[in-house]
């Protein structure tokens, strides 16, 4: 066991105004299974890179641990190359037998290590890279979002595998994965960093209790501040009135006024003014304490959605539908029957490669919003309602680039509304002036979601919308969909999200 001690860590990217970390201090142990939680853009991947020594920083990170980062950058290779051909480039010194041992623990067959790497599914590639990561001993793994793009079965394998390991930092927004695999959390709050024992659900319950306490204390402070301000105003008014009474006298009204009355009034006024200043100081203290309570409070904005109502109840119908790509012996799927009616939120579920995205894109093609390439043949029927307006979120974020104004013009978006939604999804205003290509993957995905929410539609088609999205925004999106109940067809491997949102699940 070794400790990682972070003391007064300060880091800012060159050319940036705001620091990612400022005077941050905490300690963690390398035998912990540590979940790393925080909003998109808060610095989770940046911190892992600081541990790896990739950037200069102020302060200190003291440890004897050797770090290893996942996912690996797969080197360029011929199409027919297997993982064994570039194993030494991935992780020098690792033996094939060590990797095979780990693959068996993941529950995967050894033959995938010898198949052409480019023919493997996302899940198979992830399992190989995780096996390489944990082959051998002595290194402390830094695991950055291992379940993105993985289907349910692959996620289960990765979850079971990681839960059997000891000692790593896991960056993930998958609530089920965090609950099963970690025993401590490292959380990047809005203003502070905390380390706590337990899994995600334990931390989340504690946070909700703390937030509720902070809100009740805040309300108490607000009432106290209001009372103090009213009392301070009264005392100040009395002091001013008393001060004015020192100057000038009315012989008829003040015929009994003593000569030393003026000094008495002056002393009384001074005492009142002193009391008023004490109240102001107490008000300042109350305000500071109130702000301290609320600095880490998550207050997700209420997202909104404008759904169009179609005159037809049934918006999409696929009947005995099958589709085959050129060069494929078997169809991607066959005999598919699917009806999407207004008010339904249908989740397509199944293994990677079973045709979920293809179904969505074929519906988009029917509505003249997409064109499937290399389709060899199809059978059955695919029909969409006349004049159907679809809002689509692709799982690919490569088109998110350029300035925000340019992006809004290209996609016919109201810039003000688009930026408002981004702010509600916790975007800093400084991001509005950056090239969107420089956004993190989570921020790019939020841009796609904001574009969809800013587009009134009859049907929303979202393909893996939560990849890279932080857990706070996931809960925010769940609340939106449950409140507005739009008609949706979506694919999402986050089991909790699918369970909470879907009205029907179609297994392919």
């Amino acid at each position: 066991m070794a400790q990682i001690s972070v003391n007064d860590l300060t880091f800012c990217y060159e050319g940036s105004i705001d620091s990612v970390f400022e005077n941050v201090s905490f300690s963690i142990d390398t035998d912990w299974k540590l979940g790393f939680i925080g909003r998109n853009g808060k610095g989770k991947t940046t911190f892992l890179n600081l541990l790896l020594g990739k950037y200069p920083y102020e302060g200190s990170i003291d440890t004897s641990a050797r770090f290893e980062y996942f996912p690996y950058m797969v080197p360029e290779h011929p199409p027919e190359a297997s993982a064994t051909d570039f194993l030494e480039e991935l992780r020098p010194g690792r033996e094939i037998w060590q990797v095979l041992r780990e693959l068996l623990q993941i529950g995967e067959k050894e033959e995938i290590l010898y198949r052409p790497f480019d023919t493997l599914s996302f899940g198979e590639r992830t399992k190989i890279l995780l096996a390489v990561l944990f082959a051998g001993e002595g290194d402390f793994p830094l695991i950055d979002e291992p379940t993105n793009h993985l289907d349910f079965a692959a996620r289960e394998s990765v979850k079971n595998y990681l839960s059997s390991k000891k000692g790593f930092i896991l960056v993930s927004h998958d609530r089920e994965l965090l609950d099963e695999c970690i025993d401590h959390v490292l959380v990047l709050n809005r203003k502070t960093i905390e380390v706590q024992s337990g899994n995600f659900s334990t931390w989340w319950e504690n946070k909700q209790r703390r937030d509720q306490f902070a809100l009740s204390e805040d309300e108490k402070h607000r009432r106290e501040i209001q009372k103090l301000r009213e009392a301070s105003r009264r005392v100040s008014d009395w002091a001013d009135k008393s001060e004015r009474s020192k100057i000038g006298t009315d012989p008829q009204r003040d015929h009994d006024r003593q000569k030393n009355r003026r000094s008495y009034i002056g002393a009384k006024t001074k005492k009142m003014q002193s009391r008023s200043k004490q109240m102001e100081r107490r008000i300042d203290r109350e305000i500071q304490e109130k702000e301290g309570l609320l600095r880490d409070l998550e207050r997700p904005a209420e997202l909104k959605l404008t759904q169009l109502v179609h005159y037809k109840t049934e918006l999409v119908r696929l009947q005995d539908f099958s589709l085959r790509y050129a060069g494929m012996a078997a169809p991607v799927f066959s005999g598919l029957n699917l009806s999407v009616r207004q008010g339904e939120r249908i989740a397509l579920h199944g293994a990677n490669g079973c045709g979920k995205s293809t179904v969505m894109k074929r519906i988009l093609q029917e509505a003249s919003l997409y064109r499937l390439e290399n389709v060899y043949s199809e059978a059955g029927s695919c029909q969409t309602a006349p004049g159907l307006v679809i809002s689509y979120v692709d799982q690919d974020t490569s088109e998110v680039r350029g300035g925000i104004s340019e992006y809004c013009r290209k996609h016919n978006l109201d810039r003000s509304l688009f930026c408002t939604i981004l702010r509600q999804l916790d975007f800093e205003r400084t991001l509005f002036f950056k090239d969107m290509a420089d956004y993190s993957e989570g921020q790019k995905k939020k841009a796609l979601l904001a574009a969809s929410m800013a587009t009134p539609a009859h049907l929303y088609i979202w393909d893996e919308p939560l990849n890279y999205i932080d857990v706070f925004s996931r809960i925010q999106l769940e609340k939106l969909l449950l409140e507005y109940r739009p008609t949706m067809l979506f694919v999402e491997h986050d089991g909790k999200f699918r369970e909470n949102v879907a009205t029907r699940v179609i297994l392919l």
Side-chain angles (χ1 to χ4, degrees):
M1 181 189 77
Q3 267 207 337
I4 302 171
S5 296
V6 178
N7 296 292
D8 296 323
L9 174 65
T10 299
F11 174 77
C12 180
Y13 283 107
E14 187 175 352
S16 178
I17 300 173
D18 300 320
S19 295
V20 181
F21 301 109
E22 190 165 358
N23 298 322
V24 168
S25 298
F26 59 89
S27 293
I28 56 178
D29 288 337
T30 56
D31 65 342
W32 291 353
K33 296 192 285 188
L34 187 72
F36 200 3
I37 302 168
R39 280 193 176 271
N40 295 127
K42 282 294 183 182
K44 298 183 296 297
T45 300
T46 298
F47 178 68
L48 299 187
N49 284 324
L50 292 176
L51 291 179
L52 292 166
K54 289 190 175 181
Y55 307 127
Y57 56 85
E58 296 179 16
S60 65
I61 300 176
D62 299 319
T63 183
S64 60
R66 299 196 314 269
F67 300 106
E68 190 72 17
Y69 180 78
F70 175 96
Y72 291 104
M73 183 68 71
V74 177
E76 291 187 12
H77 54 272
E80 68 278 3
S82 68
T84 57
D85 295 321
F86 49 81
L87 177 61
E88 186 65 22
E89 293 179 72
L90 285 176
R91 188 83 183 275
R94 288 296 180 258
E95 301 289 342
I96 291 179
W97 69 266
Q98 294 174 309
V99 179
L100 289 174
R101 178 194 63 199
E102 297 300 319
L103 276 177
L104 291 175
Q105 291 182 28
I106 299 177
E108 192 56 72
K109 296 178 181 178
E110 62 183 32
E111 55 94 13
I112 67 169
L113 201 58
Y114 300 95
R115 278 168 42 197
F117 191 79
D118 291 350
T119 66
L120 302 178
S121 69
F122 283 118
E124 289 169 331
R125 295 180 193 185
T126 298
K127 290 173 188 176
I128 287 177
L129 297 181
L130 280 173
V132 173
L133 176 70
F134 282 100
E137 298 177 353
D139 293 335
F140 185 65
L142 310 175
I143 309 170
D144 200 352
E145 304 203 46
T147 57
N148 283 327
H149 302 292
L150 299 192
D151 60 32
F152 177 75
R155 284 180 181 232
E156 285 295 301
S157 297
V158 169
K159 180 173 69 177
N160 293 333
Y161 178 66
L162 290 180
S163 64
S164 70
K165 296 299 179 181
K166 185 176 182 180
F168 53 74
I169 293 179
L170 171 63
V171 176
S172 179
H173 304 300
D174 187 322
R175 289 164 282 182
E176 289 183 338
L177 180 71
L178 291 169
D179 272 346
E180 292 293 330
C181 295
I182 66 172
D183 54 28
H184 286 76
V185 293
L186 173 62
V187 186
L188 298 182
N189 291 312
R190 291 191 172 276
K191 297 293 183 181
T192 62
I193 290 181
E194 67 172 310
V195 177
Q196 187 181 118
S197 63
N199 60 14
F200 171 81
S201 290
T202 302
W203 168 77
W204 182 249
E205 289 170 9
N206 289 338
K207 176 173 175 53
Q208 287 181 306
R209 282 196 291 268
R210 287 198 308 270
D211 287 355
Q212 190 58 46
F213 174 76
L215 286 171
S216 63
E217 286 294 298
D218 174 61
E219 184 59 31
K220 185 174 75 175
H221 282 302
R222 287 179 188 276
R223 289 195 299 268
E224 182 67 21
I225 289 168
Q226 183 63 29
K227 289 178 182 177
L228 286 169
R229 281 184 171 150
E230 289 174 0
S232 177
R233 178 179 52 79
R234 286 196 302 269
V235 171
S236 180
D237 289 345
W238 292 339
D240 291 342
K241 184 178 179 181
S242 180
E243 182 69 17
R244 288 194 299 270
S245 72
K246 288 196 309 182
I247 303 170
T249 59
D250 184 339
Q252 292 183 350
R253 190 181 62 186
D254 299 326
H255 59 87
D256 60 342
R257 183 165 181 167
Q258 299 176 1
K259 290 184 178 181
N260 61 352
R261 179 75 173 171
R262 181 182 179 91
S263 60
Y264 167 76
I265 293 173
K268 183 178 179 182
T269 301
K270 186 176 180 181
K271 188 175 181 181
M272 287 180 178
Q273 289 172 337
S274 174
R275 185 180 172 192
S276 177
K277 288 178 181 178
Q278 288 175 357
M279 286 180 175
E280 287 297 328
R281 285 194 291 270
R282 186 174 169 189
I283 288 170
D284 290 339
R285 287 197 301 271
E286 290 283 346
I287 290 173
Q288 289 175 7
E289 188 174 348
K290 180 173 73 69
E291 290 174 346
L293 282 168
L294 299 181
R295 62 180 178 171
D296 283 333
L297 187 67
E298 290 289 343
R299 283 179 165 170
E302 298 290 332
L303 297 173
K304 295 182 180 180
L305 200 65
T306 304
Q307 185 179 11
L308 303 178
V309 179
H310 202 279
Y311 67 90
K312 277 184 166 288
T313 302
E314 187 177 66
L315 303 184
V316 176
R317 173 177 281 276
L318 277 69
Q319 192 163 8
D320 294 327
F321 191 70
S322 63
L323 182 147
R324 179 155 54 110
Y325 284 109
M328 292 181 63
V332 182
F333 49 80
S334 61
L336 177 61
N337 293 293
L338 173 65
S339 172
V340 182
R341 296 175 173 271
Q342 288 200 64
E344 289 189 304
R345 296 182 300 281
I346 299 175
L348 296 179
H349 188 44
N352 288 133
C354 71
K356 301 183 296 295
S357 295
T358 301
V359 170
M360 292 178 162
K361 290 173 180 175
R362 181 61 185 85
I363 294 170
L364 291 169
Q365 177 174 291
E366 192 66 22
S368 303
L369 296 172
Y370 192 88
R371 180 173 177 78
L372 281 171
E373 302 292 342
N374 302 319
V375 173
Y376 180 72
S377 65
E378 62 178 60
S381 64
C382 174
Q383 299 175 331
T384 58
L388 184 67
V389 179
I390 300 176
S391 179
Y392 175 56
V393 172
D394 197 345
Q395 60 177 278
D396 181 13
T397 62
S398 60
E399 291 300 313
V400 181
R401 58 178 181 266
I404 279 186
S405 296
E406 175 192 347
Y407 184 82
C408 289
R409 283 194 299 270
K410 181 179 178 181
H411 296 278
N412 195 28
L413 299 170
D414 181 297
R415 186 185 187 280
S416 177
L417 176 59
F418 180 67
C419 290
T420 297
I421 297 173
L422 289 179
R423 286 287 292 157
Q424 291 170 336
L425 288 170
D426 207 52
F427 261 52
E428 298 290 341
R429 293 186 189 278
T430 53
L431 291 172
F432 295 163
F433 305 100
K434 291 185 176 181
D435 188 325
M436 297 173 79
D438 295 331
Y439 288 178
S440 70
E441 284 300 316
Q443 289 165 340
K444 289 179 182 178
K445 206 54 178 277
K446 285 183 178 180
L448 291 178
L449 288 164
S452 179
M453 286 183 274
T455 305
H458 299 115
L459 174 64
Y460 293 84
I461 295 182
W462 289 1
D463 194 357
E464 298 192 25
L466 301 188
N467 279 343
Y468 306 103
I469 295 291
D470 62 74
V471 68
F472 304 104
S473 297
R474 292 184 184 213
I475 294 171
Q476 201 176 1
L477 289 166
E478 282 180 13
K479 186 176 180 181
L480 167 77
L481 299 179
L482 292 174
E483 180 178 352
Y484 285 86
R485 304 180 182 277
T487 306
M488 289 193 74
L489 183 66
F490 69 95
V491 173
E492 181 49 57
H493 297 301
D494 183 325
K496 284 190 180 292
F497 182 87
R498 187 175 60 248
E499 178 184 334
N500 293 339
V501 168
T503 59
R504 187 153 57 100
V505 178
I506 303 294
L507 182 63
L508 293 182

